[in-house]
Amino acid sequence: MSSTFKIATLALAVNIALGTAPSFAAENDAEKVKKENIERIAVVGSRGAPRSVDNSPVPIDLIGAEELERSGNTDMLELLKGTVPSFNVQSNPISDAASLVKPANLRGLSSDSTLILVNGKRRHRASVIALLGGGINDGAQGPDISVIPSSALKQVEVLRDGAAAQYGSDAIAGVMNFVLKNDADGGSLNVRHGSYYEGDGDTTEVSGNIGMALTEDGFANLSFQYKNADATSRSEQRPDAQGFIDAGNTDVEALTQVWGSPEVSDDITIFGNFGLDIGNDREVYMFGNFSERDVRGGFYYRNPHNRGGVYSNDDGASLLIGDLAQTQGADRTCQPVAVTSGNVLTQDDYIENVANNDNCFSFNELAPGGFTPNFGGNIVDTSITMGTRGQFDDTLSYDVSGSVGRNESSYVIYNTLNASLGPETPRDFNPGSHVQLEKFFNIDLVKELEVGMEMPLIIAGGYEYHQETFEVSAGDEASFTAGPYTDQGFSIGSNGFPGFKPSSAGSFSRQNYALYLDVEAQYTENFLMGYALRFEDYSTFGNTTNYKVTAQYNVTDDFSLRGSVSSGFRAPTVGQANYSNVQTSLDDGILVDSALLAASNPVAKQLGATELSPEESESVSLGAVWEIEGIHFTLDYYNIEVTDRVSQSAKVNLTPADKVKLKADGVPNVDSIQQVSFFTNDFDTTTQGVDFVANYSTSLLNGDTTFGLAYNWNETTVDRFSAVTGDFKVSRLENDLPNHRATFTWSQSWDEVSMFTRVNYYGEYQGVHADSSGLSKDADAAVTVDLEVSYHIMDDFKVSVGAQNLLDQDAEALDFGPDTPNNLLGGKYYETSPFGFNGGFYYVKATYSF
């Protein structure tokens, strides 16, 4: 075996992993060596529980394909949440574009603070910016992990340590590498169906994988997944809607507003992974994907008495009446109608002046029970990576590759209206689309030098070029146009999400290049150190240089100490620097229209916005790896200080002077906008925590047994902030996620039957409802149980039944105190629950292997 692979350090693991991820099916000596290399670098112990690579100076968790399959959930984010305790996902039920691409958090940092790789290559971002991201992810723009199906994966490697010096931007919290299957024969076909205990959210998935030979010296491995998931509802009728029903309004829906998971339909993903040995220690490779899905979720109910710009402009004191003749230049004749009862439709003055008057119009005629928009869209994600790697000689290897990734979100808003168009308004709109396009080029080199140490000195270096483009496409005209009723006080644009105007459309780009150098030195048989330095230059804000130093010392054969010190950065995305829109959100339970402004907007500057700059971080970790009587332990402490964090500001109320400036800047629907926000570098945080992992394999109950325990303590403190961020957002950053997470797993197998059990512990957290400080509380800790039992009917066919949240542990119920109705907005649970709000989920699946 080459000495390159005997020196197991993080930076070397990165470079060698890039060089050995695809391996060929032929069982020759080279293949055996490659398998040993991968096993030494990435696979430790059983696949039944999270594992850390114990010969690395920083912690790496390994999740194998078998464990990823042991779950009723088909979303990759949820699969990882149940396996890595420091990884959290919140299912925000009403979250605008975040319903299309759910953000996730590693070690309590935002979703775009974790770098995502596929086969060791950087993955492009999603085009969605999470404007309602639940505090921690407000304004985050991370990759769309959910498009990666478990059927395509050989394993997932989770590096729990800052790694910007090796990989560049985004690796502040860590790195997740999704390794695709590379078999040249065999395959599998899976069919899975499940439903929540409540009787909704039916999910059906068909997935498969097949490996084929690509001549005698290569492989072609293809995977697919197709699924549909119905929406869920954990809602009650809103009190105001019930009041209309009680007052005789028969047009109010039985459930006007839904808090639940969105409907996902025609969700298809195809992944391909190809490799070919071209001789002389060289190979070429290619991998990529095509993914598409449609998503449709709920939004907030529009009250037919007081919704601003549609039904009223004085908070429900009187109806907003449109005069048809006035739009043609005639004098106004329509009289105001005061709202004096619980159902304005029954009032005599409404019947006389509106219902029976052909010239006067109110939206109570078009939507008499109010309306609830549905927000969704179509997501298309594509990527391709091509490259070649090999060796110039026994001591020098290379890897050259290029990648292109594209993600497009085409938005749709249903069951709403453009009030300024009056009775001629459509009810469904296409507000426009976002496209994220990224291109990469990489050259990676690894050199061994004999310098008289225990092992050869390893020098790894390389060059990376990255181009990123964020594109905004205009919506259909009806979604943004100012119709003939604008001057009468009716709001402009598709209500809830006005379309992007042509003046707002366009492409925004930047380029950056990087040079990096890693040095790995095995000073003695028991002492290893690694050094990394990376220089990166951006066309927008200049350059940055980052470092990392790692070390591992083997105290005994069974006990070692490890640690790292590093700096890091996260560049603001092109979308964050340039995007603006108008959305509807809640402010202490009241619907308001809020504009997100680019940092360059004059109003944003007046309120404290400045040109975005990179976040910077300093990380320290210290850990230990040991084995006692067959039990494998790892314990790691980490401390991450991040300065000038990029996030969406708190929402600021507009003044009349602000509105004049916004109109001059072309922002739509200004008169109905009450608040604005913008991206800013406004606060600093310190995140610290402890990861503990223990695994033990034995024989029990006449079968093979593996136990695993993983625990994470994580705490974030906001060290500096201003009114731009605000106290409530600080509270969300510090308290929304539980400080304590743990999982205990038990994997048991016999000849024909196997069982997998996971017990999940979630510590106390801050329950927040509707993004409101007045609707929040400290929520209790909870325990959930997952269970799956499989029976092999034949060697190549098995049937499994299982449940997530087997005991149907409810999320924290809403409790606002004696003076506020708990179902003020129709919800039942605090949506920040770390284990979701849908309750228990049962499923059955069949797997055929060939």
Side-chain angles (χ1 to χ4, degrees):
M1 182 185 298
S2 169
S3 60
T4 301
F5 299 109
K6 295 180 182 179
I7 303 178
T9 63
L10 177 61
L12 181 57
V14 170
N15 289 284
I16 300 303
L18 295 180
T20 62
S23 61
F24 303 123
E27 287 295 333
N28 50 33
D29 290 341
E31 165 65 6
K32 291 178 182 178
V33 169
K34 286 182 180 182
K35 286 185 176 179
E36 290 172 3
N37 294 340
I38 294 172
E39 192 169 351
R40 181 156 176 82
I41 292 170
V43 179
V44 176
S46 74
R47 297 174 179 264
R51 293 290 185 147
S52 294
V53 177
D54 59 0
N55 56 358
S56 170
V58 291
I60 303 176
D61 290 332
L62 268 293
I63 307 110
E66 182 180 355
E67 184 171 358
L68 291 173
E69 291 291 337
R70 290 169 169 168
S71 174
N73 205 303
T74 58
D75 189 314
M76 180 56 63
L77 291 170
E78 296 294 331
L79 294 176
L80 294 172
K81 183 179 76 173
T83 308
V84 182
S86 57
F87 188 77
N88 287 275
V89 181
Q90 289 183 339
S91 300
N92 298 326
I94 298 178
S95 50
D96 212 323
S99 299
L100 279 63
V101 178
K102 289 194 299 186
N105 314 95
L106 183 66
R107 289 185 162 178
L109 297 175
S110 62
S111 64
D112 45 12
S113 294
T114 301
L115 177 62
I116 304 301
L117 308 175
V118 174
N119 278 357
K121 304 298 183 181
R122 180 183 282 264
R123 181 78 176 167
H124 61 279
R125 302 178 188 277
S127 53
V128 166
I129 299 176
L131 302 181
L132 298 178
I136 295 171
N137 292 303
D138 285 343
Q141 187 186 3
D144 186 1
I145 300 175
S146 66
V147 303
I148 305 174
S150 59
S151 61
L153 294 177
K154 182 176 182 178
Q155 65 187 28
V156 180
E157 303 168 3
V158 183
L159 167 61
R160 294 180 276 111
D161 196 62
Q166 282 104 358
Y167 297 97
S169 177
D170 306 346
I172 288 178
V175 179
M176 304 183 76
N177 182 30
F178 294 84
V179 182
L180 301 176
K181 290 178 179 177
N182 52 14
D183 302 308
D185 58 11
S188 62
L189 181 66
N190 300 276
V191 179
R192 176 167 19 196
H193 179 79
S195 181
Y196 286 100
Y197 291 7
E198 294 283 338
D200 58 8
D202 286 4
T203 302
T204 301
E205 176 200 313
V206 180
S207 62
N209 169 265
I210 185 171
M212 300 173 288
L214 187 63
T215 75
E216 294 182 355
D217 300 313
F219 70 90
N221 194 277
L222 301 175
S223 305
F224 81 94
Q225 177 178 278
Y226 177 79
K227 66 179 178 180
N228 288 282
D230 292 343
T232 66
S233 173
R234 300 296 174 265
S235 314
E236 300 175 351
Q237 183 60 286
R238 287 173 50 130
D240 55 351
Q242 186 60 49
F244 293 128
I245 294 174
D246 295 342
N249 190 327
T250 59
D251 292 289
V252 178
E253 296 288 339
L255 189 62
T256 53
Q257 182 171 308
V258 174
W259 296 88
S261 299
E263 175 189 10
V264 181
S265 57
D266 294 328
D267 185 352
I268 185 169
T269 289
I270 300 171
F271 261 83
N273 190 23
F274 308 87
L276 180 65
D277 189 336
I278 57 177
N280 297 321
D281 295 322
R282 295 175 299 159
E283 62 180 280
V284 293
Y285 58 87
M286 179 176 71
F287 57 89
N289 77 287
F290 170 82
S291 306
E292 183 176 10
R293 67 182 182 274
D294 294 306
V295 182
R296 180 168 177 168
F299 225 176
Y300 297 111
Y301 172 59
R302 271 54 174 170
N303 184 301
H305 281 188
N306 61 23
R307 173 55 180 154
V310 180
Y311 291 103
S312 175
N313 268 341
D314 52 16
D315 200 25
S318 65
L319 292 186
L320 180 56
I321 307 298
D323 190 307
L324 278 67
Q326 188 179 2
T327 65
Q328 304 299 319
D331 293 335
R332 182 177 182 88
T333 61
C334 295
Q335 300 300 313
V337 175
V339 179
T340 58
S341 68
N343 181 6
V344 72
L345 302 176
T346 63
Q347 293 180 197
D348 292 339
D349 53 351
Y350 171 82
I351 295 172
E352 178 183 354
N353 295 323
V354 180
N356 293 334
N357 187 331
D358 292 338
N359 183 57
C360 299
F361 169 76
S362 165
F363 277 101
N364 300 79
E365 296 178 276
L366 184 65
F371 63 97
T372 305
N374 280 188
F375 184 79
N378 174 263
I379 310 295
V380 177
D381 185 281
T382 56
S383 70
I384 187 169
T385 297
M386 302 176 68
T388 181
R389 54 176 149 250
Q391 290 190 228
F392 292 114
D393 55 42
D394 291 340
T395 65
L396 180 62
S397 62
Y398 68 89
D399 186 337
V400 180
S401 66
S403 303
V404 177
R406 185 179 188 274
N407 184 278
E408 179 175 6
S409 305
S410 300
Y411 303 116
V412 184
I413 187 165
Y414 308 90
N415 192 40
T416 187
L417 46 84
N418 180 342
S420 71
L421 294 175
E424 303 303 320
T425 178
R427 298 305 303 273
D428 300 334
F429 302 85
N430 297 105
S433 64
H434 287 149
V435 176
Q436 178 76 12
L437 177 65
E438 297 186 51
K439 301 175 183 179
F440 308 93
F441 175 74
N442 291 81
I443 300 176
D444 300 292
L445 303 170
V446 180
K447 175 69 175 178
E448 297 181 24
L449 289 178
E450 293 287 351
V451 293
M453 293 191 299
E454 182 72 20
M455 293 287 184
L457 186 71
I458 305 301
I459 301 176
Y463 167 84
E464 177 179 324
Y465 173 80
H466 179 203
Q467 183 185 70
E468 178 181 356
T469 300
F470 184 77
E471 180 181 348
V472 180
S473 296
D476 58 54
E477 185 175 359
S479 71
F480 61 78
T481 191
Y485 295 86
T486 301
D487 294 338
Q488 298 183 30
F490 288 91
S491 61
I492 303 168
S494 44
N495 196 272
F497 196 97
F500 306 133
K501 299 172 65 175
S503 59
S504 301
S507 295
F508 311 93
S509 299
R510 76 167 176 221
Q511 300 79 39
N512 63 284
Y513 72 89
L515 298 170
Y516 77 90
L517 180 68
D518 288 357
V519 178
E520 308 294 335
Q522 189 82 35
Y523 290 106
T524 69
E525 180 180 357
N526 295 318
F527 184 50
L528 163 73
M529 287 197 72
Y531 313 88
L533 190 67
R534 185 182 184 97
F535 170 82
E536 196 138 359
D537 186 88
Y538 285 79
S539 60
T540 50
F541 56 78
N543 58 65
T544 178
T545 301
N546 293 275
Y547 71 91
K548 185 167 186 176
V549 179
T550 61
Q552 183 180 37
Y553 180 69
N554 297 323
V555 180
T556 69
D557 291 341
D558 298 322
F559 180 74
S560 64
L561 297 173
R562 63 188 182 187
S564 70
V565 178
S566 65
S567 66
F569 75 103
R570 187 185 77 77
T573 71
V574 177
Q576 290 171 336
N578 295 281
Y579 176 51
S580 61
N581 89 326
V582 177
Q583 61 182 357
T584 299
S585 58
L586 284 171
D587 180 34
D588 286 330
I590 305 299
L591 277 182
V592 297
D593 287 336
S594 174
L596 172 72
L597 306 178
S600 58
N601 182 279
V603 174
K605 288 183 177 180
Q606 179 179 316
L607 296 173
T610 57
E611 183 177 353
L612 295 181
S613 61
E615 300 176 355
E616 297 183 351
S617 68
E618 295 288 337
S619 300
V620 177
S621 69
L622 179 64
V625 181
W626 73 102
E627 189 164 331
I628 304 173
E629 301 295 331
I631 305 177
H632 183 271
F633 300 91
T634 66
L635 179 67
D636 294 276
Y637 167 80
Y638 56 89
N639 186 291
I640 309 168
E641 295 183 0
V642 187
T643 57
D644 296 328
R645 282 185 60 169
V646 176
S647 183
Q648 186 180 3
S649 73
K651 293 180 173 62
V652 181
N653 291 323
L654 282 174
T655 66
D658 293 332
K659 292 187 177 184
V660 171
K661 292 182 180 179
L662 288 176
K663 286 181 180 180
D665 203 48
V667 176
N669 208 15
V670 169
D671 288 327
S672 67
I673 294 174
Q674 291 94 345
Q675 299 177 331
V676 297
S677 63
F678 47 88
F679 285 100
T680 178
N681 298 92
D682 185 61
F683 61 96
D684 305 337
T685 61
T686 298
T687 298
Q688 62 176 336
V690 171
D691 286 317
F692 174 76
V693 179
N695 294 280
Y696 177 64
S697 298
T698 186
S699 295
L700 288 177
L701 306 174
N702 296 318
D704 296 326
T705 306
T706 300
F707 295 109
L709 174 64
Y711 165 78
N712 170 255
W713 166 69
N714 189 89
E715 181 180 77
T716 294
T717 303
V718 178
D719 304 316
R720 176 191 65 85
F721 71 99
S722 74
V724 169
T725 296
D727 293 332
F728 181 51
K729 179 156 187 179
V730 169
S731 177
R732 302 207 67 176
L733 290 164
E734 295 182 339
N735 302 311
D736 271 14
L737 296 179
N739 293 132
H740 301 276
R741 277 278 322 272
T743 63
F744 174 76
T745 58
W746 173 21
S747 179
Q748 185 74 32
S749 62
W750 297 275
D751 291 338
E752 297 177 340
V753 179
S754 61
M755 179 192 72
F756 182 78
T757 303
R758 179 187 290 117
V759 179
N760 308 283
Y761 172 79
Y762 302 88
E764 296 178 353
Y765 63 96
Q766 179 174 246
V768 177
H769 184 53
D771 291 324
S772 174
S773 59
L775 304 179
S776 62
K777 64 166 287 190
D778 293 333
D780 294 333
V783 174
T784 66
V785 179
D786 305 329
L787 174 67
E788 179 176 293
V789 179
S790 301
Y791 175 66
H792 287 263
I793 298 175
M794 298 180 291
D795 288 344
D796 52 7
F797 183 72
K798 71 176 180 179
V799 175
S800 306
V801 294
Q804 287 187 302
N805 194 357
L806 176 68
L807 305 180
D808 198 22
Q809 172 65 52
D810 285 334
E812 188 81 9
L814 297 177
D815 181 12
F816 306 143
D819 298 326
T820 305
N822 286 340
N823 67 341
L824 178 68
L825 298 169
K828 289 184 179 180
Y829 306 110
Y830 290 100
E831 58 266 26
T832 50
S833 169
F835 55 91
F837 47 77
N838 284 316
F841 180 87
Y842 65 89
Y843 61 93
V844 59
K845 64 179 179 179
T847 302
Y848 173 65
S849 302
F850 54 90

